[in-house]
Amino acid sequence: MLKKTGLALLLFTAAQAHAAYQCNVKPQDDVIISPQSVQVVGASGNLQISPDGDVTRDGQALTLSDSQRQQAFRYQTALRKELPWIDDGAQQHLEKARVALDKVIVKELGGDSNVRNRLTTLNGQLKQQMNRIIEHRSDGLAFHHKAIAQVEQDGRNLVQQSMGGVLQDSLNEMGVKQAANSGGNPLQAIMGNLGGLQKAIQNEWNNQEQDFKNFGHDVCNRVTSLEEQRKALLGALK
């Protein structure tokens, strides 16, 4: 029961944060976006591209043709557009999952359930994990590609660590309600209620699963396009 309930909660609270990065194309560069420039550091060396398309590579300003400048301009423009879109989308999906799951908890356990507090805490922790991948800075964003794998693992660990408390609170709260109602077999009633909670969570996930998959697919397409632009620009700069 714990495993099944935990799986459903994991799907709700973590899948959309992870789906954005489940893609055959794995970024190999860090990206730092500020009003003054877009900096790409990693497999590309150290490229710094101005909003006008000027390029500095490893500290040396490059002399560009009009075609090269246009490629650099389009690449930095795409990075400025797509990274915030990915970040906003992941944040929105995480919040959407929290709200949906909160409604299930209120319906099944009541508005005063401590499970709601646990989920709010978990939501905040997962958002902090996401900020390790796309870091919010006062003057822009920084994408850290090496953080992806570690954040996936740490996010799963956070969810798993929360499961014990979620299950215990659920059992305790159902027990209190059963005691108040009295009559019948208390343990059987509690387990039946827990099964109802699990089913309600699974039903909600079924309602939203395709939306989350579409988001992950869309992100993968955008990441793939960015990688193709990066390779094309590097090829043009040789």
Side-chain angles (χ1 to χ4, degrees):
M1 183 66 69
L2 172 61
K3 182 177 180 180
K4 292 181 179 179
T5 304
L7 175 60
L9 288 169
L10 173 61
L11 288 172
F12 256 95
T13 57
Q16 66 279 23
H18 296 154
Y21 311 107
Q22 298 302 311
C23 186
N24 290 332
V25 174
K26 299 296 183 182
Q28 300 298 314
D29 302 274
D30 288 346
V31 178
I32 302 170
I33 297 176
S34 70
Q36 294 76 32
S37 69
V38 169
Q39 188 174 5
V40 183
V41 184
S44 306
N46 188 336
L47 287 180
Q48 194 162 344
I49 309 173
S50 78
D52 294 328
D54 295 322
V55 178
T56 299
R57 180 165 58 188
D58 298 328
Q60 181 178 356
L62 302 184
T63 301
L64 305 176
S65 67
D66 289 343
S67 175
Q68 290 171 327
R69 188 180 304 278
Q70 281 298 315
Q71 279 187 279
F73 170 78
R74 287 194 296 268
Y75 179 48
Q76 68 89 33
T77 299
L79 286 169
R80 289 183 185 277
K81 175 184 175 182
E82 303 298 6
L83 284 183
W85 184 92
I86 292 170
D87 181 58
D88 290 344
Q91 297 282 350
Q92 290 170 10
H93 277 73
L94 189 62
E95 182 61 19
K96 180 180 180 181
R98 185 200 66 77
V99 170
L101 190 53
D102 186 68
K103 289 180 179 178
V104 172
I105 297 303
V106 170
K107 180 179 179 180
E108 298 294 328
L109 298 177
D112 59 347
S113 172
N114 192 54
V115 174
R116 300 180 72 196
N117 297 329
R118 290 188 182 276
L119 292 177
T120 297
T121 298
L122 178 60
N123 181 265
Q125 291 173 328
L126 290 175
K127 286 183 177 179
Q128 290 176 355
Q129 291 297 315
M130 291 162 61
N131 193 58
R132 292 169 57 192
I133 298 176
I134 300 182
E135 176 191 356
H136 292 222
R137 295 183 173 182
S138 59
D139 63 344
L141 295 174
F143 170 74
H144 305 285
H145 80 280
K146 290 184 178 179
I148 294 175
Q150 189 60 52
V151 165
E152 288 181 346
Q153 183 59 52
D154 291 347
R156 291 179 185 276
N157 289 342
L158 284 170
V159 173
Q160 291 170 359
Q161 291 166 11
S162 298
M163 287 305 98
V166 166
L167 182 62
Q168 189 60 57
D169 283 346
S170 300
L171 290 172
N172 290 343
E173 292 168 12
M174 289 174 183
V176 169
K177 289 183 179 180
Q178 184 59 31
N181 294 332
S182 66
N185 185 325
L187 181 58
Q188 184 177 359
I190 291 172
M191 296 308 294
N193 290 338
L194 191 60
L197 173 62
Q198 175 190 329
K199 184 177 180 180
I201 292 173
Q202 186 62 51
N203 287 341
E204 186 59 39
W205 167 248
N206 291 339
N207 292 336
Q208 300 194 38
E209 181 179 15
Q210 190 58 51
D211 184 42
F212 293 152
K213 287 183 177 179
N214 290 342
F215 173 65
H217 183 69
D218 200 357
V219 170
C220 183
N221 287 340
R222 292 169 188 249
V223 170
T224 300
S225 176
L226 288 173
E227 179 63 9
E228 290 172 350
Q229 290 184 64
R230 182 189 70 84
K231 290 181 178 178
L233 176 60
L234 289 179
L237 294 178
K238 288 182 178 179

